[in-house]
Amino acid sequence: MNRWLSVLIDKAGLYFLHRNRSIYTQFQNDNDLHSILHNQNRDAFYQLNEVPHLLFEQKDSKQLSPYSYQYDSPIQTGDKTNDIAQGICYLNENHDQSVHVIIVHGWRSDSLNKFKSIFLKQMQKKGYNVYFPTLPYHFERASGSQYSGEYMISANVERTITAIRQAVLEIRGLIQWIKQTKRGKVVLIGVSLGGYISNLVSVYEKEIDSLISVMYANNLSYEIWNTPIGKYIKQDLQKHNITYEQLQQYWSILQADETQSLISTEKILLISGKYDQYVMDQDTKNLWLAWGKPKRLLYNCGHAGIVFSQKQIARDTINFIENLTTNGSE
C-alpha cells in the first residue's frame, strides 16, 4: 500500500473515530497528584502480590465454543463493573501442554472481531490456546461511558494512570496463573493500545516466553499531544491549564522505554506501519532503540494496516512463535 493511500485511509478512520467522543470534560484536578506520582517506586507500583483465582465458564455446549473467565482485579477502583477482570479463551484438546497466546486488544475497541479475524483461526490450526483479556473500561467493563475505552485513556490524569496499572497487573496475573496451572510457553501479543500495554507488562513480568507488539505506542503523553488520536483529550487538558511538560511528568511511570524489558531481545518482535497517523514513527523507534534493537518489521501501511495487512500480521507472528518453539528458546 503506498503512502498517499495509507495516510488517506488513516485520516478517514480518525474522522469516524472522533465522531463519537466525550460529551463532558473528563478532567479531574487532584492537588496531591504531583507529589503522589513522584514518590512512586516503579517496581512497587507494578507489583503483583498474588496470583488470581480464575473462574471459567463455557459460553455454550458446542465443542469449539470459547470459555469466558473472570477474577477480581488486583487493582480495585471502586467501580464494581470495571473491577472484575475478564476475558474469553479458546482451548485446544491438549491445552495443558500447548503454546498459550494472550492477545490484547486496542483502545476504543467495541468487539474482538478484528483481533479474532487476524489471529484466531490460524493459531487454532497450530494447536495454540488463545486468550483475549478485556482491558479496563472496555466492553462489559465500560458501564456509564459514552464509548468503550472512554474512561481508560482521558484527561482524567490519575484515572488513566490507575487504569493502565490495572491492565498491566491483570495481564501479569493471567500470565502467572497460566504458568502455575498449565505447561507450555506464554506468548504475549498486543495490538495498538494492547501493544503499548504489553510492552509495559514485559518490563515487569519475567514469565513471558515471547513478546510481539503490533502498531504499538511507547510514550502516552507524546501520543496524546502530537497525534490526531489524542486531540480532544489534549484540548480538555489545555482548557484546564495542563501543559505538555506536566503531562510528561505525570505519566512518566507509564512509559515502557524508561526501563529495559525483562524479555531477551531475540524473543521480541516489534511491528509498525511506516505511514501510521495514529502512532508516531519517532515514538515507536524510541522504544526499539532503548530496548537494544530487537527484530522490527516496518510495513508499507498506516495504522489501518491492522485490518488491511491481516494475513501478513498473522504470518509474521506465527512464524516468529514457531521459530522460537523449534529452536527451543528458553
Side-chain angles (χ1 to χ4, degrees), residues 11-192:
K11 287 186 175 181
L14 287 163
Y15 170 78
F16 286 106
L17 182 81
H18 286 314
R19 290 179 68 180
N20 190 12
R21 59 180 184 267
S22 296
I23 298 174
Y24 307 105
T25 177
Q26 295 298 307
F27 182 79
Q28 182 173 325
N29 186 28
D30 186 337
N31 293 327
D32 296 325
L33 182 60
H34 190 275
S35 60
I36 291 171
L37 295 181
H38 280 74
N39 288 327
Q40 287 173 345
N41 174 277
R42 283 178 171 272
D43 290 333
F45 186 74
Y46 290 109
Q47 181 176 343
L48 181 68
N49 293 320
E50 61 181 18
V51 179
H53 175 65
L54 272 65
L55 298 175
F56 286 83
E57 180 180 355
Q58 194 162 23
K59 297 183 78 66
D60 59 49
S61 59
K62 295 179 182 179
Q63 184 177 2
L64 297 178
S65 69
Y67 289 82
S68 62
Y69 65 85
Q70 65 177 41
Y71 53 98
D72 290 335
S73 175
I75 300 296
Q76 295 290 297
T77 65
D79 183 330
K80 292 182 180 179
T81 305
N82 181 58
D83 287 346
I84 300 297
Q86 57 187 273
I88 63 172
C89 60
Y90 294 80
L91 306 178
N92 68 39
E93 293 181 357
N94 192 24
H95 55 81
D96 281 351
Q97 301 183 46
S98 181
V99 173
H100 304 271
V101 181
I102 300 171
I103 300 172
V104 188
H105 65 78
W107 184 42
R108 300 187 60 163
S109 297
D110 54 15
S111 81
L112 292 170
N113 292 341
K114 174 170 60 180
F115 308 95
K116 290 180 183 178
S117 66
I118 297 172
F119 298 107
L120 184 58
K121 186 176 181 180
Q122 300 303 318
M123 290 187 171
Q124 286 183 309
K125 287 180 179 179
K126 292 291 183 180
Y128 301 165
N129 295 317
V130 185
Y131 301 76
F132 292 97
T134 298
L135 288 174
Y137 299 109
H138 284 77
F139 308 159
E140 296 86 355
R141 302 177 70 178
S143 63
S145 60
Q146 182 71 18
Y147 55 84
S148 179
E150 179 183 19
Y151 295 162
M152 183 171 184
I153 310 293
S154 73
N156 188 324
V157 176
E158 187 172 14
R159 187 179 62 199
T160 299
I161 294 169
T162 301
I164 292 173
R165 182 189 185 199
Q166 190 176 40
V168 169
L169 291 181
E170 287 173 4
I171 295 170
R172 287 197 64 194
L174 176 59
I175 291 167
Q176 291 195 21
W177 179 86
I178 292 171
K179 283 293 188 178
Q180 281 196 6
T181 62
K182 309 290 182 182
R183 287 179 287 178
K185 296 183 181 298
V186 172
V187 178
L188 181 60
I189 299 176
V191 182
S192 195

